[in-house]
Amino acid sequence: MRIQAMAGLVVAFLSASAAVAEPYLAAWKGVNCNACHVDQTGGWIRNDFGKNYGNGLQTFDWQGLTKPQPLNHQTPAYVAVGLDLHVDYFYNGLFTTEYASLSPPTLLPVVSSIQTGRESFSIYAHSNEAISGVVDYRVDNAAKSQMYGLITQLPADGYLKIGAFNPAYGLGLSDDDSLVRGPMGFTYDTILNGLEAGFYPDNFFVNAGVFNDPLSTLEKVESVKGGFHFSDFTIGGSFYGKDLDTSAYSTRYGAFGWIRLDPFVLLAEADQVTDGGGTQDLEAYHASLEADLGNDVFLRLASEYLDHRVKNGTEGFRHLVSLRCYPVRNLKVQADLARMDYTSSASPNEGNPGYSILLDTYFFY
């Protein structure tokens, strides 16, 4: 039972990630996510600019993209496709005092596998310069696919989106195992049916949506994200509410931002969560520093913290060292080393750090 408990906790927090959105890339060039993605809040299929990410980022034409952009910088009516494929090697292990008496101390294996990650095929079709349709089909899990209509070129660089898609919240980090994404339910598996509108007047931005609660047809989910965006830094906040008129309401709110200090980019996010009408609260923090090593190679150091008011054994710190590079266009290779230190006395792993290694080959188009 002890081994099963340890395995469950480690897998829950150190599962393999599959990158879709990279706010670090937007931060490096001082633009918002919609400069490179069709979706105005980032992620999934890339537009013409975003598809050029890969080998030789400096060849990108960034003139005029110093603030969030509408889609009118793209070509006229056409149909475009996108593709995301991952193949990775993942190893997960745990050092535990139960085996410390062995010589040498033994690493208990939990997971070791070659596997595919999140795979998707996307179609983006213009009806005209302002109206588009987007389908992001998840090959690995069709139930988590996106499908929505998109209207752009509204006043104040506004847009309107209706269909099934991810709600906007926080930095939108690509790794679902991040403590400011996974435990709060903002992974790329979170697809809700609803309506979203956004505006980008000058250096201000706001994205707001209302969705159906997938568990109750009588209740709604609200999501709001907004802030100020400049070429060297962004600062903003988020709110997410579910079933707010009931005693079992859930809320998430927090602040996020990034600043570029060449040759570094610093990202940070802090969130507070209340579930079940206050019966379970948690807080999560993320801070990461990425350095540009040259030749399209980047080194990232990240630290995160998760804490529940009602301790359940999953509280603690997560530290990550990540190295990514773009050897050829449309190909990213990434190596991650993560460590989880549990701090709750409710955890059988308190004082026994968990480790994982991820080697990911990511093809995108």
Side-chain angles (χ1 to χ4, degrees), residues 25-26 29-42 45-51 53 60-62 64-71 73-74 200 229:
L25 296 177
K29 293 301 181 180
V31 299
N32 209 313
C33 299
N34 68 346
C36 294
H37 290 274
V38 172
D39 192 334
Q40 298 287 282
T41 56
I45 186 173
R46 298 151 196 85
N47 57 33
D48 288 345
F49 286 96
K51 287 182 179 180
Y53 261 136
F60 220 57
D61 180 10
W62 293 99
L65 292 179
T66 56
K67 72 185 186 78
Q69 296 293 306
L71 291 178
H73 65 271
Q74 298 196 41
Y200 299 98
H229 172 80

Side-chain angles (χ1 to χ4, degrees), residues 71-268:
L71 291 178
N72 57 9
H73 65 271
Q74 298 196 41
T75 55
Y78 71 113
V79 175
V81 297
L83 187 66
D84 293 272
L85 297 175
H86 292 265
V87 177
D88 55 58
Y89 171 76
F90 183 59
Y91 180 82
N92 207 344
L94 185 74
F95 282 108
T96 171
T97 55
E98 182 176 337
Y99 298 92
S101 59
L102 300 179
S103 183
T106 300
L107 178 66
L108 176 65
V110 177
V111 175
S112 178
S113 64
I114 297 176
Q115 57 193 20
T116 56
R118 184 171 51 247
E119 322 295 340
S120 65
F121 175 77
S122 304
I123 299 177
Y124 170 42
H126 277 306
S127 174
N128 54 53
E129 291 187 357
I131 301 177
S132 307
V134 181
V135 176
D136 296 302
Y137 179 76
R138 284 278 296 273
V139 178
D140 59 312
N141 189 339
K144 305 302 182 182
S145 301
Q146 291 196 137
M147 182 170 63
Y148 58 89
L150 180 66
I151 303 175
T152 60
Q153 302 188 31
L154 299 179
D157 287 349
Y159 74 91
L160 184 66
K161 181 167 59 173
I162 184 169
F165 48 89
N166 286 114
Y169 189 93
L171 287 172
L173 296 172
S174 60
D175 42 345
D176 284 351
D177 55 338
S178 170
L179 300 187
V180 297
R181 280 184 58 84
M184 293 191 297
F186 291 114
T187 71
Y188 281 91
D189 286 345
T190 307
I191 304 297
L192 301 178
N193 295 313
L195 172 71
E196 180 182 282
F199 299 93
Y200 299 98
D202 296 325
N203 296 107
F204 177 73
F205 67 94
V206 62
N207 314 100
V210 59
F211 307 87
N212 291 326
D213 182 346
L215 300 180
S216 175
T217 57
L218 300 178
E219 301 298 334
K220 291 293 184 286
V221 174
E222 295 84 22
S223 175
V224 180
K225 174 181 177 180
F228 296 90
H229 172 80
F230 299 91
S231 60
D232 291 325
F233 73 94
T234 289
I235 186 168
S238 304
F239 174 81
Y240 176 93
K242 178 181 177 182
D243 306 345
L244 295 179
D245 59 343
T246 72
S247 60
Y249 66 89
S250 295
T251 63
R252 285 119 172 86
Y253 60 91
F256 63 91
W258 57 258
I259 185 170
R260 185 178 71 252
L261 301 169
D262 288 332
F264 303 103
V265 163
L266 175 65
L267 276 70

Side-chain angles (χ1 to χ4, degrees), residues 5-15 92-94 110 342 349 354-356:
M6 289 188 293
L9 288 174
V10 175
V11 171
F13 280 96
L14 298 176
S15 58
N92 207 344
L94 185 74
V110 177
Y342 297 98
N349 301 315
Y355 293 89
S356 71

